[in-house]
Amino acid sequence: MHYAFDFWMDRHFPYAPFERYTDDAVIHCRTEKEAKKILKDLDGRMKSCKLELHPQKTKIVYCKDKDRRREYPNVDFDFLGYTFKGVYIKCRTGRRGINFIASASKKSNKSFRTKIKALEVHKKTGCKIDMIAKLINPIVRGWINYFGKYNASAIRYSLNCVERRIVKWAMSKYKRFRGHRKRAEKWLAKIRKREPKLFAHWNYRNRNVVMS
């Protein structure tokens, strides 16, 4: 792809910046006309190299936000686990509006929750809470480091699922919490206040993202 795509783009379209990871790429264009021209020439380039563009993934996307308000068939795309789309959030000026930003994709969120679920934390009743933290933290910390930089609200539900798994573990481990979710939640809240760094998601800078 370095020869088939990177060098070719630099030579023929030096004014169009792009990002590429293996065979997945995003090209930034200034106009729809420019995008169609690049897409047509790129299709020819791939065919000449005995390659082809992915028929479903390859598309022209309009980065719709508060300043770009046209209607267009495609207004979002996925890249490296993120979904890039217009999101209604608070701007740096303090005003709320539509900004085209990166958010953890639905697929990435689902994959993360599947990994946490596969740990079957609730069955590890012989473990102390610090052992549960050591089991969960590497996965959660790595995920937050990658997806927690942009649009924190996009990972809220998944991090809440982590918290619910820990609550379920407490309800399974201690008889006094069986059938009493609220008691288990209050117990964890006290531990969180005393040891805020015990779990990676507790130490996440946007605390309101984690708490239900």
Side-chain angles (χ1 to χ4, degrees):
M1 289 299 288
H2 288 291
Y3 170 75
F5 180 79
D6 298 354
F7 295 153
W8 182 83
M9 280 293 299
D10 288 337
R11 180 182 299 173
H12 295 277
F13 300 101
Y15 51 83
F18 65 87
E19 294 83 30
R20 182 183 66 80
Y21 182 77
T22 61
D23 61 349
D24 202 2
V26 175
I27 303 172
H28 302 273
C29 304
R30 296 167 294 186
T31 65
E32 183 179 7
K33 181 179 179 180
E34 182 178 287
K36 288 181 176 179
K37 165 66 175 173
I38 294 177
L39 180 57
K40 180 181 178 181
D41 290 1
L42 181 59
D43 183 48
R45 171 60 175 174
M46 292 295 104
K47 289 177 180 177
S48 70
C49 296
K50 300 186 183 304
L51 299 169
E52 64 177 346
L53 298 175
H54 194 288
Q56 280 77 48
K57 284 186 176 182
T58 306
K59 58 185 177 180
I60 296 175
V61 176
Y62 181 63
C63 302
K64 189 174 182 179
D65 61 12
K66 63 182 183 301
D67 299 316
R68 294 174 288 237
R69 302 181 181 182
R70 286 174 49 197
E71 295 299 322
Y72 201 82
N74 302 312
V75 292
D76 63 71
F77 66 91
D78 286 359
F79 186 60
L80 299 183
Y82 281 97
T83 293
F84 292 77
K85 63 179 181 178
V87 178
Y88 189 72
I89 61 173
K90 184 181 290 186
C91 306
R92 292 180 179 178
T93 59
R95 294 183 178 181
R96 300 187 71 85
I98 301 295
N99 281 270
F100 197 84
I101 63 172
S103 305
S105 69
K106 291 181 179 179
K107 184 177 180 181
S108 298
N109 273 289
K110 185 177 180 179
S111 176
F112 170 73
R113 294 195 299 271
T114 298
K115 288 181 181 179
I116 294 298
K117 184 178 180 180
L119 295 177
E120 296 188 321
V121 172
H122 65 287
K123 294 183 179 180
K124 303 185 186 304
T125 54
C127 296
K128 294 182 179 179
I129 193 168
D130 60 329
M131 297 171 68
I132 298 299
K134 288 181 180 179
L135 177 66
I136 291 177
N137 281 346
I139 298 174
V140 176
R141 187 178 294 112
W143 197 73
I144 288 176
N145 286 342
Y146 187 73
F147 289 109
K149 297 178 181 179
Y150 312 102
N151 192 17
S153 63
I155 64 176
R156 177 187 296 120
Y157 179 74
S158 291
L159 293 184
N160 280 338
C161 285
V162 174
E163 190 73 1
R164 285 194 288 272
R165 288 283 160 184
I166 301 171
V167 170
K168 190 175 181 180
W169 165 80
M171 292 174 66
S172 298
K173 180 176 177 62
Y174 300 106
K175 290 183 179 180
R176 66 182 185 277
F177 296 148
R178 291 175 187 173
H180 298 282
R181 176 173 292 275
K182 290 296 182 181
R183 291 182 186 176
E185 290 175 345
K186 288 181 180 179
W187 175 73
L188 278 174
K190 291 180 180 178
I191 295 177
R192 182 168 58 245
K193 186 176 181 180
R194 186 173 67 247
E195 300 181 65
K197 295 183 179 181
L198 180 59
F199 287 97
H201 65 291
W202 286 359
N203 195 37
Y204 184 44
R205 65 180 182 275
N206 293 307
R207 298 291 179 85
N208 63 315
V209 171
V210 181
M211 301 302 108
S212 302

